[in-house]
Amino acid sequence: MKQYSFWFVVGSQFLYGPEVLETVAERAREMAGELSGVLPYPLVYKVTAKTNREIADVVKEANYDDSCAGIITWCHTFSPSKMWINGFVNLQKPYCHFATQYNREIPNEEIDMDFMNLNQSAHGDREHGFIAARLRLPRKIIAGYWRDEAVRKRIGSWMKAAVGAAVSRGMKVMRFGDNMREVAVTEGDKVEVQAKLGWQVNTWAVGDLVKEMNAVTEAEIDALMEVYQASYDIATDKLDHIRYQAREEIAMKRMLDAEGCMAFSNTFQDLYGMEQLPGLASQHLMAQGYGYGGEGDWKVSAMTAIMKAMGENGNGCSLFMEDYTYHLAEGAEYSLGAHMLEVCPCCAAGRPRIETHRLGIGMNEKDPARLVFEGKEGDAIVVSLIDMGGRLRLICQDIHCVKPILPMPNLPVARVMWKAEPSLTTGVECWITAGGAHHTVLSYDVTAEQMKDWCTMLDIEFVHITRDTTVESLERELFLSDLAWKLK
């Protein structure tokens, strides 16, 4: 993944004289350097801005620097806000207002008017905040002392959301065939999505993939088989079926990389010329950071890739998921998530097994090989991006994943089981009320706050289902939100 950084822009003015400005710049460099050592991405001190032109120039530079994922501003002294207008109205990168100060405490013996003139972040940040509010500028405001761990974690979290926005703007999705016939929620306005989120979503013929598969050599397959054997337990004697999945993976990866695509989709209804629906092939590609969507669901494939990039080390535990069936025993109510074949092994509680089993739907000539495992325990979220006609809505629900309560020995797919907030039944009612899809991205790494920040950066609606959500409160929220978005 591209190496991103964030720019630290500090506000001041000439009124205080050169000595104060030199001190401000020196402290800003110190803060940026120290924070870079603990944040997930470097924080680069750019300028102590004192004029309209300096601010406009640094914003213009940030807008056209692909490695800059966002700017973080702070006003060490008083920075008159009118000089920020020209820069802010043209800002195209995520923006965080860091309301902090260099010193932690007021020094009782040292404080005098010189100290006050130099250390007036409380003064400057309010002036700075006003102009962003006046301009209705999307922003994240983080207040607190810059050396506090909790504050640093919040900045780091916001940085990951901003990287998600940067990845979104460069997202290319390769569709092998169309979406599943007559399905509504996997459809969407690709033109609007490209204008709003930056995604380029296009189709490649399955025949092109078959042609690429035919060009894969046995030596290439042998090499990938060694990777499979090192990563997974092989629990089938149908090695030719696994080798076929390797052939599919190599061909798909070659096409994805040639086009610069980070995500892909396919459908079991369009496998013309192929012997198996890519199962193991799709799973192993997802383990490498690619996004995937089943049945042609290009929205969830792109969201999977974006949330993987937002997770730890650029390939976090985020995965394509589908609510399959419920366990409705009173007092023990769970969702069982799975898919026909394609669940990413990043969430596996143990070492996955490669198995081959018949797949009863789709154009499969042979039993597709796939990874089978149980998902790990832990707090997580599931998200769904839907097209509401005229706008996009991201629905996010808090969940808690558990070890599956049943062994399910005859279920030949990877599976994750979870408790939904606020409860299974109320959660289902809320999800359906909001229009959530059956395909989701499940993430153990990305938080609801990060997804809210991501939506703010890209100007789309965010709906959060939590332990405190009721159907009635959600209905009111959606009604008011619908009115507000129609006025935008």
Side-chain angles (χ1 to χ4, degrees), residues 50-300:
K50 305 163 290 295
T51 67
N52 186 306
R53 182 59 180 268
E54 282 182 310
I55 296 165
D57 285 349
V58 75
V59 166
K60 186 186 302 182
E61 185 184 357
N63 285 343
Y64 288 93
D65 189 326
D66 290 340
S67 67
C68 174
I71 69 167
I72 297 177
T73 63
W74 168 53
C75 292
H76 188 307
T77 57
F78 188 78
S79 181
S81 65
K82 284 177 65 178
M83 69 184 184
W84 288 84
I85 293 174
N86 289 18
F88 273 167
V89 296
N90 293 316
L91 181 62
Q92 298 171 16
K93 293 293 176 79
Y95 158 51
C96 174
H97 179 177
F98 188 21
T100 189
Q101 64 184 30
Y102 180 75
N103 56 298
R104 182 186 289 276
E105 300 173 353
I106 296 172
N108 182 52
E109 298 295 332
E110 298 174 25
I111 190 166
D112 55 18
M113 282 312 300
D114 288 338
F115 182 94
M116 295 281 275
N117 285 334
L118 175 61
N119 298 279
Q120 48 179 308
S121 300
H123 186 190
D125 278 326
R126 281 163 169 75
E127 169 76 357
H128 183 65
F130 161 74
I131 202 61
R134 173 65 177 78
L135 297 173
R136 277 69 171 177
L137 189 66
R139 56 185 165 156
K140 179 76 169 182
I141 302 170
I142 297 177
Y145 188 54
W146 62 281
R147 283 195 167 110
D148 285 348
E149 183 179 358
V151 171
R152 292 174 171 187
K153 284 184 177 180
R154 291 191 67 203
I155 296 173
S157 175
W158 176 83
M159 282 181 163
K160 291 178 182 179
V163 166
V167 170
S168 178
R169 291 190 177 98
M171 178 61 59
K172 296 179 70 175
V173 180
M174 180 174 287
R175 303 174 67 215
F176 294 110
D178 205 346
N179 69 313
M180 183 178 173
R181 300 175 197 125
E182 303 293 352
V183 177
V185 78
T186 56
E187 293 283 9
D189 185 340
K190 301 182 188 70
V191 173
E192 177 65 17
V193 165
Q194 185 164 349
K196 182 69 71 173
L197 305 182
W199 302 357
Q200 299 176 57
V201 183
N202 292 294
T203 301
W204 275 257
V206 175
D208 292 334
L209 175 57
V210 173
K211 182 179 179 181
E212 196 66 54
M213 288 168 57
N214 292 336
V216 175
T217 67
E218 292 300 314
E220 290 175 306
I221 294 173
D222 289 341
L224 186 52
M225 286 291 290
E226 290 182 6
V227 175
Y228 290 163
Q229 290 170 339
S231 304
Y232 314 121
D233 291 336
I234 296 179
T236 177
D237 57 2
K238 297 179 180 179
L239 297 184
D240 58 321
H241 294 219
I242 303 175
R243 293 182 67 85
Y244 193 83
Q245 290 285 329
R247 181 181 296 277
E248 291 177 320
E249 178 184 337
I250 293 165
M252 287 191 292
K253 188 176 190 306
R254 191 171 290 161
M255 292 181 67
L256 289 165
D257 292 349
E259 296 293 337
C261 294
M262 299 171 64
F264 68 102
S265 66
N266 56 26
T267 173
F268 62 87
Q269 290 180 322
D270 190 356
L271 298 175
Y272 190 79
M274 300 172 68
E275 295 179 0
Q276 302 175 38
L277 176 66
L280 170 61
S282 296
Q283 290 173 298
H284 195 243
L285 283 169
M286 281 187 279
Q288 299 168 62
Y290 295 92
Y292 173 77
E295 289 99 59
D297 193 340
W298 50 272
K299 294 195 295 297
V300 80

Side-chain angles (χ1 to χ4, degrees), residues 6-10 28 31-32 43-47 72-74:
F6 290 79
W7 289 6
F8 194 35
V9 179
V10 181
M31 291 168 66
L43 182 61
V44 180
Y45 167 68
K46 293 298 289 186
V47 65
I72 297 177
T73 63
W74 168 53

Side-chain angles (χ1 to χ4, degrees), residues 229-386:
Q229 290 170 339
S231 304
Y232 314 121
D233 291 336
I234 296 179
T236 177
D237 57 2
K238 297 179 180 179
L239 297 184
D240 58 321
H241 294 219
I242 303 175
R243 293 182 67 85
Y244 193 83
Q245 290 285 329
R247 181 181 296 277
E248 291 177 320
E249 178 184 337
I250 293 165
M252 287 191 292
K253 188 176 190 306
R254 191 171 290 161
M255 292 181 67
L256 289 165
D257 292 349
E259 296 293 337
C261 294
M262 299 171 64
F264 68 102
S265 66
N266 56 26
T267 173
F268 62 87
Q269 290 180 322
D270 190 356
L271 298 175
Y272 190 79
M274 300 172 68
E275 295 179 0
Q276 302 175 38
L277 176 66
L280 170 61
S282 296
Q283 290 173 298
H284 195 243
L285 283 169
M286 281 187 279
Q288 299 168 62
Y290 295 92
Y292 173 77
E295 289 99 59
D297 193 340
W298 50 272
K299 294 195 295 297
V300 80
S301 71
M303 287 305 305
T304 303
I306 289 166
M307 292 175 69
K308 279 182 175 292
M310 290 167 64
E312 293 293 336
N313 302 317
N315 184 19
C317 191
S318 299
L319 53 140
F320 169 63
M321 183 48 63
E322 178 174 281
D323 290 71
Y324 240 90
T325 190
Y326 302 130
H327 190 76
L328 292 173
E330 187 173 357
E333 297 164 316
Y334 299 92
S335 278
L336 178 64
H339 204 252
M340 291 185 296
L341 304 175
E342 312 95 345
V343 174
C344 179
C346 66
C347 74
R351 186 175 167 92
R353 305 179 307 281
I354 300 177
E355 300 181 8
T356 55
H357 300 274
R358 177 177 176 272
L359 185 61
I361 59 176
M363 304 161 60
N364 295 282
E365 297 178 16
K366 293 182 177 179
D367 300 338
R370 80 292 301 271
L371 296 173
V372 179
F373 56 86
E374 289 184 349
K376 64 183 181 181
E377 300 177 68
D379 292 332
I381 59 172
V382 286
V383 304
S384 170
L385 181 70
I386 60 172

